[in-house]
Amino acid sequence: MLVAAAVCPCPPLLVPEVAGGAAPELEEARAACADALGVLAAARPELLVVVGPAERPARGPHPEGTPGSFRGFGVDLDVRLGRELGTVPGTVLPPSLAVAAWLLERNAWSAAPVEGLGVGAPLAPERCAEAGRDLAARAARVALLVMGDGSACRSVKAPGYLDERAEPFDARVAEALGAADRDALMALDPELAGALKASGRAPWQVLAGAADSAGLAGTLLYDEAPYGVGYLVAAWS
């Protein structure tokens, strides 16, 4: 059963070594992520599953101990998902889960074992919800750390340029996350999310499926669009 969830953005710029001189610009977002992780720890989960967007071949499960790296972003920095178990998993973390691993290490996560799930952007809402229900059934007390960004079209300098649909889309997501509104998350249009380059759509719908009948309440902790990309942090408990 799902007992808590944290929603965080997943830009590698969250990692100060990657951001370089721009690191202070996302310090408020990092602090909000830390607060959300605190909610997860307080829920005393038996298992934490990190869910984030992934390209092939990094889609699917990632066991505890899976390595990740920010070398692709010009930084000699390695991370690991959860504990070192003495074995070398056959997978490598996608960037979203590498950011999650960094957040967990930065906040000294030790409350429960950690696993990961990379979700493909094309995954249909119903499949996302089904995956979420499967995750919630993994243990009596499951927590999710859900990684994903909102639209990337909030300004002319944004990765997807300016799209007038982006701000209303992000506003709907922020309202849904703040209210723990599963139905609103499930109603997000995959085609619109894809057009707006919102990588969080599928992970958020995994969360919606996991939260079915959980009766959780939500709190929105951060809602900004630096660099023209919607970054949202929320906690459900």
Side-chain angles (χ1 to χ4, degrees), residues 91-104:
T91 61
V92 176
L93 296 175
S96 66
L97 299 192
V99 173
W102 176 84
L103 284 172
L104 292 169

PDB file of all heavy atoms in Angstrom, residues 91-104:
ATOM      1  N   THR A  91      22.261  -2.876 -15.226  1.00  0.00           N
ATOM      2  CA  THR A  91      21.687  -1.666 -15.806  1.00  0.00           C
ATOM      3  C   THR A  91      22.419  -0.435 -15.292  1.00  0.00           C
ATOM      4  O   THR A  91      23.172  -0.497 -14.317  1.00  0.00           O
ATOM      5  CB  THR A  91      20.193  -1.542 -15.465  1.00  0.00           C
ATOM      6  OG1 THR A  91      20.045  -1.471 -14.029  1.00  0.00           O
ATOM      7  CG2 THR A  91      19.419  -2.743 -15.975  1.00  0.00           C
ATOM      8  N   VAL A  92      22.191   0.683 -15.960  1.00  0.00           N
ATOM      9  CA  VAL A  92      22.716   1.985 -15.543  1.00  0.00           C
ATOM     10  C   VAL A  92      21.537   2.929 -15.415  1.00  0.00           C
ATOM     11  O   VAL A  92      20.605   2.902 -16.222  1.00  0.00           O
ATOM     12  CB  VAL A  92      23.729   2.533 -16.575  1.00  0.00           C
ATOM     13  CG1 VAL A  92      24.192   3.929 -16.185  1.00  0.00           C
ATOM     14  CG2 VAL A  92      24.919   1.590 -16.692  1.00  0.00           C
ATOM     15  N   LEU A  93      21.551   3.779 -14.407  1.00  0.00           N
ATOM     16  CA  LEU A  93      20.432   4.672 -14.157  1.00  0.00           C
ATOM     17  C   LEU A  93      20.272   5.696 -15.288  1.00  0.00           C
ATOM     18  O   LEU A  93      21.260   6.291 -15.729  1.00  0.00           O
ATOM     19  CB  LEU A  93      20.636   5.428 -12.848  1.00  0.00           C
ATOM     20  CG  LEU A  93      20.676   4.609 -11.558  1.00  0.00           C
ATOM     21  CD1 LEU A  93      21.004   5.524 -10.379  1.00  0.00           C
ATOM     22  CD2 LEU A  93      19.359   3.890 -11.325  1.00  0.00           C
ATOM     23  N   PRO A  94      19.047   5.941 -15.727  1.00  0.00           N
ATOM     24  CA  PRO A  94      18.812   7.067 -16.633  1.00  0.00           C
ATOM     25  C   PRO A  94      19.018   8.365 -15.860  1.00  0.00           C
ATOM     26  O   PRO A  94      19.044   8.372 -14.622  1.00  0.00           O
ATOM     27  CB  PRO A  94      17.349   6.881 -17.044  1.00  0.00           C
ATOM     28  CG  PRO A  94      16.720   6.175 -15.888  1.00  0.00           C
ATOM     29  CD  PRO A  94      17.793   5.253 -15.361  1.00  0.00           C
ATOM     30  N   PRO A  95      19.171   9.498 -16.553  1.00  0.00           N
ATOM     31  CA  PRO A  95      19.448  10.758 -15.846  1.00  0.00           C
ATOM     32  C   PRO A  95      18.452  11.094 -14.750  1.00  0.00           C
ATOM     33  O   PRO A  95      18.837  11.577 -13.680  1.00  0.00           O
ATOM     34  CB  PRO A  95      19.423  11.792 -16.978  1.00  0.00           C
ATOM     35  CG  PRO A  95      19.874  11.029 -18.178  1.00  0.00           C
ATOM     36  CD  PRO A  95      19.280   9.667 -18.022  1.00  0.00           C
ATOM     37  N   SER A  96      17.161  10.845 -14.976  1.00  0.00           N
ATOM     38  CA  SER A  96      16.174  11.205 -13.952  1.00  0.00           C
ATOM     39  C   SER A  96      16.404  10.435 -12.657  1.00  0.00           C
ATOM     40  O   SER A  96      16.287  10.998 -11.560  1.00  0.00           O
ATOM     41  CB  SER A  96      14.753  10.937 -14.473  1.00  0.00           C
ATOM     42  OG  SER A  96      14.523   9.556 -14.673  1.00  0.00           O
ATOM     43  N   LEU A  97      16.724   9.156 -12.763  1.00  0.00           N
ATOM     44  CA  LEU A  97      16.960   8.358 -11.568  1.00  0.00           C
ATOM     45  C   LEU A  97      18.333   8.648 -10.974  1.00  0.00           C
ATOM     46  O   LEU A  97      18.530   8.484  -9.759  1.00  0.00           O
ATOM     47  CB  LEU A  97      16.811   6.869 -11.881  1.00  0.00           C
ATOM     48  CG  LEU A  97      15.437   6.406 -12.377  1.00  0.00           C
ATOM     49  CD1 LEU A  97      15.355   4.881 -12.365  1.00  0.00           C
ATOM     50  CD2 LEU A  97      14.302   7.001 -11.565  1.00  0.00           C
ATOM     51  N   ALA A  98      19.282   9.085 -11.794  1.00  0.00           N
ATOM     52  CA  ALA A  98      20.574   9.513 -11.260  1.00  0.00           C
ATOM     53  C   ALA A  98      20.399  10.758 -10.394  1.00  0.00           C
ATOM     54  O   ALA A  98      21.017  10.885  -9.324  1.00  0.00           O
ATOM     55  CB  ALA A  98      21.566   9.781 -12.391  1.00  0.00           C
ATOM     56  N   VAL A  99      19.545  11.692 -10.839  1.00  0.00           N
ATOM     57  CA  VAL A  99      19.250  12.866 -10.019  1.00  0.00           C
ATOM     58  C   VAL A  99      18.591  12.441  -8.710  1.00  0.00           C
ATOM     59  O   VAL A  99      18.924  12.947  -7.634  1.00  0.00           O
ATOM     60  CB  VAL A  99      18.357  13.861 -10.784  1.00  0.00           C
ATOM     61  CG1 VAL A  99      17.908  14.995  -9.868  1.00  0.00           C
ATOM     62  CG2 VAL A  99      19.106  14.424 -11.986  1.00  0.00           C
ATOM     63  N   ALA A 100      17.664  11.484  -8.787  1.00  0.00           N
ATOM     64  CA  ALA A 100      17.015  10.982  -7.576  1.00  0.00           C
ATOM     65  C   ALA A 100      18.034  10.345  -6.642  1.00  0.00           C
ATOM     66  O   ALA A 100      17.989  10.562  -5.413  1.00  0.00           O
ATOM     67  CB  ALA A 100      15.931   9.977  -7.940  1.00  0.00           C
ATOM     68  N   ALA A 101      18.943   9.553  -7.196  1.00  0.00           N
ATOM     69  CA  ALA A 101      19.979   8.923  -6.368  1.00  0.00           C
ATOM     70  C   ALA A 101      20.837   9.980  -5.685  1.00  0.00           C
ATOM     71  O   ALA A 101      21.209   9.835  -4.507  1.00  0.00           O
ATOM     72  CB  ALA A 101      20.840   8.002  -7.231  1.00  0.00           C
ATOM     73  N   TRP A 102      21.156  11.044  -6.417  1.00  0.00           N
ATOM     74  CA  TRP A 102      21.926  12.132  -5.818  1.00  0.00           C
ATOM     75  C   TRP A 102      21.150  12.787  -4.685  1.00  0.00           C
ATOM     76  O   TRP A 102      21.719  13.063  -3.615  1.00  0.00           O
ATOM     77  CB  TRP A 102      22.283  13.170  -6.885  1.00  0.00           C
ATOM     78  CG  TRP A 102      22.997  14.350  -6.323  1.00  0.00           C
ATOM     79  CD1 TRP A 102      24.342  14.450  -6.068  1.00  0.00           C
ATOM     80  CD2 TRP A 102      22.407  15.583  -5.894  1.00  0.00           C
ATOM     81  NE1 TRP A 102      24.624  15.672  -5.516  1.00  0.00           N
ATOM     82  CE2 TRP A 102      23.471  16.385  -5.394  1.00  0.00           C
ATOM     83  CE3 TRP A 102      21.120  16.076  -5.880  1.00  0.00           C
ATOM     84  CZ2 TRP A 102      23.247  17.660  -4.881  1.00  0.00           C
ATOM     85  CZ3 TRP A 102      20.895  17.348  -5.381  1.00  0.00           C
ATOM     86  CH2 TRP A 102      21.954  18.133  -4.888  1.00  0.00           C
ATOM     87  N   LEU A 103      19.854  13.032  -4.880  1.00  0.00           N
ATOM     88  CA  LEU A 103      19.036  13.628  -3.822  1.00  0.00           C
ATOM     89  C   LEU A 103      19.008  12.736  -2.583  1.00  0.00           C
ATOM     90  O   LEU A 103      19.125  13.220  -1.444  1.00  0.00           O
ATOM     91  CB  LEU A 103      17.604  13.840  -4.316  1.00  0.00           C
ATOM     92  CG  LEU A 103      17.353  15.018  -5.253  1.00  0.00           C
ATOM     93  CD1 LEU A 103      15.927  14.952  -5.809  1.00  0.00           C
ATOM     94  CD2 LEU A 103      17.574  16.351  -4.537  1.00  0.00           C
ATOM     95  N   LEU A 104      18.866  11.429  -2.791  1.00  0.00           N
ATOM     96  CA  LEU A 104      18.821  10.507  -1.659  1.00  0.00           C
ATOM     97  C   LEU A 104      20.151  10.482  -0.916  1.00  0.00           C
ATOM     98  O   LEU A 104      20.186  10.485   0.318  1.00  0.00           O
ATOM     99  CB  LEU A 104      18.442   9.109  -2.144  1.00  0.00           C
ATOM    100  CG  LEU A 104      17.002   8.956  -2.669  1.00  0.00           C
ATOM    101  CD1 LEU A 104      16.826   7.611  -3.356  1.00  0.00           C
ATOM    102  CD2 LEU A 104      16.003   9.117  -1.533  1.00  0.00           C
TER     103      LEU A 104
END
